[in-house]
Each structure stands twice: as structure tokens, then as C-alpha cells.
Amino acid sequence: MGDKILRVNMTDLTVKEEPFPEEWKFLGGRGLSAKILLKEVDPTCDPLGPDNKVVLAPGVLSGSVAPTSGRMSVGGKSPLTNGIKEANSGGQAGQKMAKLGYRAMIIEGKAKDPEKRYLVSLNKDGYAITECPELKGLRTYAAAEKLSEKFNDKTAFVLCGPAGEKGFSGASVALTDEGATHPARHAARGGLGAAFGSKGLKAVAVDDSGTKPRQPQDQAAFKDYLKTFTKEFKEGTNLFEYGTSTTVPVANMLSTFPTRNRHEMQFEHADKLDGKNLVENFETRGGGMHHCMTGCIVSCSNVVHNAAGEYVTSALEFETIGLCGSNCCIDDLDKVAIMDRLCDELGLDTIETGGAIGLAMDCGALEFGDADGAIALLEKVDKGDPLAEAVAKGVCAVAEHFNADRVPAIGGQGIPAWEPRSLPATALTYMTSAMGADHTAGLVIAAGDDPSKSSQEAQLVNALCDSSGFCQFQGPKIENIRALYNAMYAADLSFEDVADLGWQCMQDEWEFNKKAGYDPALPEWMRTEKVPSNDMAITATEDDVARVFERMPVSDELRNLKAVG
Ligand code: SF4
């Protein structure tokens, strides 16, 4: 299929193509990124220095007609955790990059002149790197608008905002969704936007005009299996028909809706933050549900308008509502939508940023519930304000700013809404995954009687999902991925072979982190301070943690487990 790697050297300002190794054909997205980083990056390097590399990698199935399979992985050494990190996003660029035949783009080096900004563009006729002074310092929507004037409507963009350009460790990498001017999808966790921006790179433009979907080697088998797969999905319950924001009542009931900087895990005004309010507003305000990338059949992404009927943001997700809303005691969805938009504009992770603002409120910088104060603070992120800059650097930077000792972070990264004290297997994921406190690495809501096993299995399925190109909200099982990989490459992989690919990804990441000296230390207060509404704290023992690192036999649960984020 002529697969290629594109290597962008920001020091020399050169771009070159390399053949994609045949032995890596079943590696994509997160698994491929881990393999490249382990092979090419010194784990002890400065994450914002020239020796770190940022890998953009669509999944194994991306660019094909497999539904919901065009996700883009962004990988690198994290400026937040100092370990390996992968953040995964929808948007249009993953699908397009794969259709151009690129299995990965490796961005290395660092521009010699820190004042200059560069744009890499690709299309079927080739690639180029050019200076783009007009984009310097621009927030993402303005930058995408300018970019879309230069390129045709088949072009999608990957870019960083001012936070990434300034190397703030809460920075995300933005991807444009259906409209090229909406950089509303973010590879958000781990501060990879700062790694991207530190190279002098402002944007990547991917134009797939004149390309066709990637063709499987066994077209009949691929087509046949897709019929079954799509039918099963359509006949089942689409849990995300109205997006993740409608999860609020369940999360609140389960005591996993952070409130007052996690002093509580149930919010008294949770009903005001329930995503059903957004859905009810669609009729009068406009907006609605859509898919953020071509080929998605889940369409979990909401488009949120204000009372005047104007577009504000997309998508307003559960995690954003939990961290920027209830965690800060902000009970107004319109204000949370503005905070989400500002994070997208600045190129910031809403989880890290909401956690940082909640901690700043707890330290007395603002009153809990002061939405306008939080919005004003975010507005100052790109204007040199020291507290706003600490917020943009994340939870631990705010803790340092105030000398706080009750810090809601694990291994340097702010904790997502899904609360480890209330969810014992998810706690083990945060303590063992190389992704650290990241619910997308292995969220387990119902752990059963062996949290270590539940965590390991969830981590394995999610690692595989993030390598395949599938969105976690499609909920693929290992068997689905196996059937499609076999048809894609006319191969004969067994269930165990495919499960091994997920495990190998985890092992590569663990190896990198061991060399990097990554420390996923759990803050002591999470063992002693119980969640008031369920009296739970983290009780995981050293043995529970150790068991997650030892491969367990394939179980029926693993065979039936769906990826979930
Ligand atoms: S399921 Fe949701 S997040 Fe995933 S690709 Fe579709 S719209 Fe985007």
C-alpha cells in the first residue's frame, strides 16, 4: 500500500519520506508512537528541547472505510509527567494523513530562531515546510481561519495555540473538525501541545484532495465484516447518542463528579450541569449533535450555541464539565462552555486547566463558583499574568505558586473527573499506566472482585483501540479489531496475537518510563481523606499494583470487553 513515514526536522527545516517498515504494519496510533519514541528518543531528554520528538500517527485502520477509525494519536515525552505520553483526538487530519499514505509524521529537532513559526503542509503531490509569521501568537480559531484562506476545503489542520507556543505544560494539540475553521478537537492530555510548539511548529495542513480510502488486501472479507460490525453497533444502544455530557447524573450518583477541588465528589447543582440541558437547547438555540471526523457513526460530539443562537464551542464533554464546572463550583453550563472555548482558543487541556483553577480557588485566589473570575483568568493566559500562566502550566504549577500541599495530581498530571477513590480499578490504572492519571488509558466503572485484573484488561483494550484508529466511543472489542486487521492485511492473526499488540504497547511505554524515571506517586491525601458521600479512599496495596504489571491469562471478560473512554 506504499505506506510511508514523514520525518520533519525543525532544526534543519527539512522534510523527507521514509518507507514504513513492513514489520510494523500492525502498529498504528499509540502503539506506533510508543515504538518510535522508545527507539529514537532519549527518555531522559528535556521534553521541550530538540531531542524530544512529537509523533503524529493515525491508526492501523485509519484512512479505510472502517467506521469511526480515523483518530489521530499525538505522542511524545510529556512536559507534564516527564514520561511518555499519547493523547488521542478526532478531527479530520488523521483520516486524511492516512489516505495520503503516511502512517506517521515524526517531528524532531527545534527551530534555531525561537521567534519564528513554521507550517508543514502535505498533499498528494508532496510536502513543504514554510515560515508562517502571520500565525505567530494567534489563538487557534483565528489561526485556523487564516489557514483555511490559504488552502482548499479538503484541508484539515493540526495546530497549537499560544499556550503551546509559550511551552506551557498544560498545552494541547488542536485538530480541526468538520469545518476547517473549528479547531475544536484536542489531543489534550500531558502537555504535548507544549512539545509541539517548542519545536517552532505552529501548524500542519493536510490536504487529501484526489486520494481514495486505503484499500484492504482482502476487500471481500473487509466489506463483509464491516456489515456485521456496523449492524451490531446500530442495533445496540448508542450510549453516546447525546455525548458524554449526559453522563453527569450517573457520575454524580457514583461520587465521581469532583466538587470544590475534590473535597467532595457530588455537586449540589449537578442537575444544572447535566448535558440534557444542552440537548434541550438545540431546538431554540441551534447547534446539535454531529460527528467530529468523517466516517464516525457514533456522532457523540455536541455543538453548543449560546442564548443568542451563536456558536460557542464543540464538544462540551463530561470531563470539561466536571473539572471546569463542578470542581470549581460553577453551575452555569453557558459559562462552562465559554471556559471550554477559551481553553480551545489558547490550546489548553480542559482537564488540567479546570483542575488548576479549582486548586487556585481552594488556595483563595478566587471564590469557588466565580465563573466570571475564572473566565477573566483564562483570558490572561497569553498576556503575561503570572497566576494565569501557572494555571496554563497545570495543577502542579499552581500548587507550587501557592505552596499548596493537597495537590489533585498523580505523577505531575491533574486527575480527571473519574475519581480514583470511588473507582478502585480506575485508581490502579492511574497508578500503573504509563499514561498516568488519564481515564482514557483504562477507565473501569464496575470493577468486579479483582480490580487489578479489571484495570489491566481495560488498559490493554484501550491501548489496542488507540492504536487501531478507532474512537473509544465506538467501543470496539479485540475480536472486532482482529477481524479487520486480518482483512486489511490478508493475515491470520489470532485473538492472542492481537491482544499481544495491546500488551506490547503498554510494555514499550513502561520501558520508556522506567528509563525516564517517571514516578506515578499517589498523593498521600488520597489514602487518608475519604470521599464524604461514600466513605472511600484509595486502599490499593503494593501487591495490587504489582499484579497489573504481570500479564494475566486471557479471560472471558477480556474477550467481551469494549474499549471505553
Ligand atoms: S464518537 Fe465522538 S469523539 Fe469519537 S470520532 Fe465520533 S464524534 Fe468524534
Side-chain angles (χ1 to χ4, degrees):
M1 275 184 268
D3 288 346
K4 301 165 281 188
I5 288 177
L6 197 69
R7 192 174 291 274
V8 178
N9 188 306
M10 295 299 300
T11 309
D12 304 341
L13 301 175
T14 56
V15 186
K16 64 174 184 188
E17 274 182 6
E18 297 170 5
F20 186 73
E22 168 69 15
E23 65 271 23
W24 285 1
K25 68 183 176 193
F26 295 115
L27 292 180
R30 178 173 156 191
L32 176 58
S33 166
K35 193 63 80 188
I36 292 170
L37 293 168
L38 185 60
K39 184 167 175 248
E40 298 192 8
V41 172
D42 173 0
T44 62
C45 74
D46 172 5
L48 301 183
D51 295 336
N52 195 9
K53 301 193 184 192
V54 175
V55 179
L56 304 183
V60 175
L61 298 168
S62 301
S64 75
V65 295
T68 328
S69 69
R71 301 275 295 190
M72 177 81 97
S73 272
V74 181
K77 176 169 172 167
S78 162
L80 208 52
T81 69
N82 266 314
I84 197 168
K85 194 77 192 85
E86 184 262 4
N88 198 278
S89 177
Q92 299 290 36
Q95 196 80 324
K96 290 176 187 290
M97 208 170 121
K99 283 170 74 184
L100 288 167
Y102 296 114
R103 295 290 295 270
M105 179 189 292
I106 302 173
I107 303 153
E108 58 193 21
K110 184 169 176 136
K112 287 176 186 149
D113 184 343
E115 295 305 311
K116 292 193 172 167
R117 298 292 178 270
Y118 294 91
L119 162 71
V120 171
S121 47
L122 357 162
N123 60 31
K124 70 174 178 28
D125 300 319
Y127 39 79
I129 183 164
T130 47
E131 211 187 318
C132 56
E134 73 283 7
L135 300 182
K136 188 179 173 187
L138 284 191
R139 292 184 175 187
T140 59
Y141 275 70
E145 183 82 43
K146 269 203 189 300
L147 283 163
S148 68
E149 288 163 9
K150 275 178 75 157
F151 292 89
N152 66 33
D153 62 2
K154 298 274 187 201
T155 309
F157 306 105
V158 182
L159 66 160
C160 67
E165 287 182 65
K166 288 172 182 281
F168 295 157
S169 44
S172 59
V173 174
L175 288 90
T176 49
D177 63 12
E178 277 184 306
T181 56
H182 284 178
R185 312 306 306 190
H186 288 249
R189 302 251 55 207
L192 292 172
F196 183 102
S198 71
K199 308 229 160 274
L201 185 63
K202 178 68 180 181
V204 177
V206 191
D207 166 14
D208 67 345
S209 315
T211 64
K212 293 200 171 117
R214 288 173 67 214
Q215 295 302 307
Q217 289 179 8
D218 186 342
Q219 301 217 19
F222 200 78
K223 211 167 142 194
D224 259 14
Y225 192 76
L226 281 190
K227 270 191 215 147
T228 316
F229 181 61
T230 309
K231 188 164 171 267
E232 263 176 29
F233 179 80
K234 294 213 158 144
E235 286 175 354
T237 309
N238 180 357
L239 292 173
F240 301 106
E241 187 179 3
Y242 292 113
T244 58
S245 63
T246 53
T247 311
V248 165
V250 176
N252 197 51
M253 185 186 72
L254 294 171
S255 295
T256 178
F257 196 44
T259 302
R260 289 180 189 79
N261 187 33
R262 301 189 112 91
H263 287 291
E264 293 153 63
M265 291 306 301
Q266 287 186 326
F267 187 41
E268 61 272 30
H269 301 303
D271 58 324
K272 289 182 161 183
L273 294 180
D274 184 348
K276 83 171 183 337
N277 299 303
L278 301 172
V279 176
E280 282 169 11
N281 282 339
F282 290 154
E283 204 174 318
T284 51
R285 295 179 170 196
M289 304 307 296
H290 78 143
H291 56 231
C292 74
M293 67 184 185
T294 304
C296 167
I297 57 172
V298 183
S299 293
C300 83
S301 176
N302 54 26
V303 176
V304 178
H305 286 193
N306 62 19
E310 297 154 340
Y311 171 88
V312 179
T313 195
S314 172
L316 189 50
E317 305 269 13
F318 163 70
E319 282 290 338
T320 304
I321 294 171
L323 272 303
C324 293
S326 56
N327 190 50
C328 302
C329 299
I330 293 171
D331 63 4
D332 181 338
L333 269 178
D334 283 322
K335 302 277 185 181
V336 179
I338 293 170
M339 291 171 74
D340 183 55
R341 170 65 178 269
L342 273 168
C343 286
D344 287 357
E345 288 274 13
L346 294 158
L348 283 176
D349 173 15
T350 57
I351 295 177
E352 196 67 42
T353 307
I357 295 174
L359 178 57
M361 286 176 164
D362 209 6
C363 294
L366 293 169
E367 292 292 318
F368 276 115
D370 181 0
D372 292 335
I375 289 168
L377 187 59
L378 283 174
E379 282 287 5
K380 290 189 271 192
V381 163
D382 52 356
K383 298 185 175 66
D385 179 80
L387 176 58
E389 289 193 355
V391 163
K393 290 175 186 169
V395 172
C396 292
V398 169
E400 205 175 307
H401 186 91
F402 289 106
N403 203 18
D405 54 8
R406 183 188 174 280
V407 186
I410 298 174
Q413 185 171 234
I415 301 172
W418 295 107
E419 167 63 24
R421 289 173 296 170
S422 300
L423 305 171
T426 301
L428 283 164
T429 296
Y430 295 172
M431 294 160 76
T432 58
S433 167
M435 300 295 106
D438 183 340
H439 64 289
T440 70
L443 172 65
V444 186
I445 292 173
D449 55 10
D450 188 347
S452 299
K453 175 173 173 292
S454 299
S455 171
Q456 183 186 97
E457 290 178 342
Q459 289 192 50
L460 191 152
V461 172
N462 278 19
L464 186 61
C465 176
D466 289 345
S467 305
S468 68
F470 273 125
C471 181
Q472 293 181 354
F473 299 134
Q474 172 77 54
K477 298 183 202 170
I478 294 177
E479 176 53 29
N480 302 136
I481 293 172
R482 184 191 77 85
L484 290 168
Y485 279 14
N486 279 342
M488 193 76 187
Y489 288 101
D492 190 22
L493 299 175
S494 66
F495 182 94
E496 285 74 12
D497 293 336
V498 180
D500 284 351
L501 292 169
W503 184 251
Q504 185 61 52
C505 168
M506 291 159 68
Q507 284 190 309
D508 287 345
E509 293 170 342
W510 283 329
E511 189 180 338
F512 186 101
N513 275 3
K514 200 171 163 196
K515 291 176 178 163
Y518 167 72
D519 177 13
L522 191 72
E524 196 48 38
W525 67 268
M526 300 207 92
R527 290 193 181 272
T528 54
E529 187 182 313
K530 292 182 174 172
V531 172
S533 45
N534 62 16
D535 217 24
M536 291 174 78
I538 291 182
T539 54
T541 63
E542 275 181 25
D543 185 50
D544 295 333
V545 170
R547 287 183 61 237
V548 180
F549 292 105
E550 284 164 25
R551 180 88 183 267
M552 297 181 200
V554 169
S555 67
D556 287 347
E557 287 82 9
L558 182 65
R559 288 185 187 278
N560 292 314
L561 194 62
K562 292 179 173 182
V564 67

